[in-house]
Structure formats: structure tokens, C-alpha cells
Amino acid sequence: MVTSNDVLSDLAAEGEAIDGLVAAITPEQWQTPTPAEGWTVAHQIAHLTATFRMAALAAGDPAAFTAMTSRLSPDFDANVVSAMAPFLALPPDGLLAQFRQARAAAQGALAAVPEGQAVPWLVRPLPAPVLAAAGMMELFGHGQDVADALGVRREYTDRIGHLAFFAVRTWDFGYLARQLPVPDVAFRFELTAPSGTVWRFGPDDAEQSVTGPAVDFCLLVTRRRNRADLALKAVGEDAEQWLDLAQAYRGPAGPGRRPGQFAAA
């Protein structure tokens, strides 16, 4: 599903969509609390800016990226706070300008990576298209927080297919984040895209499966909705447990969202 040209153009389009959520809001709205405790709209955009800056460095100067990550604290949350700090110090127009610049730099650097060459990253090296898919995950999750904070109903597109692909690839992250053993099992995923297309991942003969709307799947793996509010179905004990643990990022799981916290997406 993920090809270089498709994911990079979709990454640009998704970035523009998030940009559009904040481009015209007031300085006061930048300080609106989001569903992530302690994070305002400005925090969400600052985090995305820092993440895209790191992606640009990883793709454009792998040695500098490796040197930078070697200096990171073992405290994940402290690293996040430190990375956001210089951007949070900016006024809204300065932060928005940095967000745009970081996205453009990351997209350009990823596009320049030779096909098949891995890019160093925080957990393990990734092909450039897969790192771009990780960027789609970041934009989707933090963009959802911004939309929820501002009371905007998002229009989802089949661009989320890249996030679905990435979440299937990293299906074990939920276990690893909680220091739980990863079951020796393969799931079949069948997800219905916003267009109605059905995306299928995993072995055809898998005994355990996860099915449902791709939007709900993406909301689940970014932990922006509680599984109780989503139309996802699991077959099999491990798959059922996975719906409670699923996340497409390696950091701490966090509290997630409460059942019934939001109206249907």
C-alpha cells in the first residue's frame, strides 16, 4: 500500500489539512486545552514541529541525527517537553511558520533518500516511505486533538491508509510499551476505508482477526478514542486483548480517552 510518491504527497496533503485547522484561529484559541491533559493547541503543533524537524534531520543528515539521539534522556516525557520548548516560546504566527518550515524540510529530505535506504529513527531504522507513514500517524493523532479542542468535525480521506499500514506493521508496540510479552500470533486485519474500499493485511488463513471501519482503527491505534466507542470487532482471545492495548507509537501509552468522552467521529 505504501509507495514513496503516494505517501509523500499524502503526507503533504495531510499537513496542509492540519495547517488549515489553525491558520486562522486567534491567539487565544492557540491556548485552548486539548483532550491531552496539560496540552493546548500550541503544544500539539509544537510537538508536530519538533517531530518533523527530527525526521528532516534523520533523512538529511543521519550522522547528526544519531549524535542527537545519543544525548537524549532515558525519560521519554522529559525529551518531549525539551523538544517542544523552543517552539512553545514563539508567538502563534512564529510557531505556525516553524510548523510549515519543518514539514517542508522533512518532506524534501525524505523524498531525497535513495529507494531501499533505511533512515535512522527513534526505535529502529525505517525505509523513508515507512517513516513518512509514521509522520501520517503523528499528523492524524495530534490533528485529532486539535480538531476536538476547536470543535471541528474532520473529513477523513483514504490518506489514512498509510497510518493503517504503519499500525499493522507496529502492531506489537502496545505490548512493548507496557512491557508485556508479545503473543506468537498473526492477525488478519480487514478495514473499510472512507471510500468504501476494503484494505486487507495479514495472512488469509489467520485464526484471529480485527475488522471494522479504517477511521475507527486509526482512532484506536492513536488512542484518540476509547474502543468502547468504536465499531471494531475482534475474533480470538489475543485479538480481543489487542484492541485494549493497540497503539502505533512506542512511547508511554498514556491514559487514552474515556468511554463516551466524544460523540461519534
Side-chain angles (χ1 to χ4, degrees):
M1 173 174 296
V2 174
T3 63
S4 286
N5 290 338
D6 287 346
V7 72
L8 288 172
S9 62
D10 285 350
L11 183 68
E14 194 69 12
E16 286 297 320
I18 304 308
D19 191 301
L21 290 176
V22 298
I25 64 175
T26 66
E28 292 74 22
Q29 286 176 300
W30 279 87
Q31 299 308 313
T32 304
T34 68
E37 185 176 354
W39 282 38
T40 64
V41 169
H43 283 83
Q44 301 288 350
I45 300 301
H47 176 75
L48 287 170
T49 302
T51 300
F52 276 84
R53 277 285 184 88
M54 285 195 297
L57 184 63
D61 191 342
F65 176 82
T66 301
M68 182 273 292
T69 55
S70 71
R71 299 190 295 270
L72 292 177
S73 162
D75 185 329
F76 179 89
D77 290 333
N79 291 328
V80 171
V81 170
S82 177
M84 290 193 299
F87 304 112
L88 286 173
L90 298 171
D93 58 345
L95 174 52
L96 182 58
Q98 288 297 314
F99 177 47
R100 290 169 174 169
Q101 185 181 75
R103 288 176 9 237
Q107 291 156 17
L110 288 167
V113 175
E115 185 175 355
Q117 180 175 307
V119 176
W121 195 235
L122 300 172
V123 177
R124 53 182 175 249
L126 298 172
V130 178
L131 183 53
M136 294 289 288
M137 179 267 294
E138 294 284 348
L139 287 168
F140 182 95
H142 295 285
Q144 188 65 51
D145 286 338
V146 171
D148 289 336
L150 299 176
V152 175
R153 191 177 183 88
R154 299 179 77 183
E155 293 293 331
Y156 302 103
T157 73
D158 281 12
R159 293 194 297 265
I160 65 172
H162 302 293
L163 168 51
F165 158 84
F166 185 75
V168 168
R169 181 186 177 99
T170 59
W171 74 278
D172 57 341
F173 276 10
Y175 299 95
L176 299 173
R178 297 166 178 81
Q179 298 183 330
L180 296 173
V182 179
D184 183 15
V185 65
F187 300 144
R188 176 70 168 173
F189 296 89
E190 295 192 359
L191 309 171
T192 304
S195 66
T197 299
V198 177
W199 295 325
R200 297 178 174 88
F201 307 92
D204 293 337
D205 60 351
E207 295 181 356
Q208 302 194 57
S209 63
V210 172
T211 60
V215 169
D216 286 16
F217 182 79
C218 292
L219 289 167
L220 178 81
V221 299
T222 55
R223 295 181 61 77
R224 265 50 186 192
R225 293 292 186 270
N226 189 280
R227 67 165 291 188
D229 297 325
L230 302 173
L232 296 169
K233 297 181 179 179
V235 173
E237 182 178 354
D238 295 310
E240 183 69 30
Q241 181 195 41
W242 185 84
L243 289 182
D244 290 324
L245 304 177
Q247 64 182 73
Y249 53 93
R250 185 64 183 275
R257 305 293 177 258
R258 302 183 306 275
Q261 185 174 352
F262 301 95

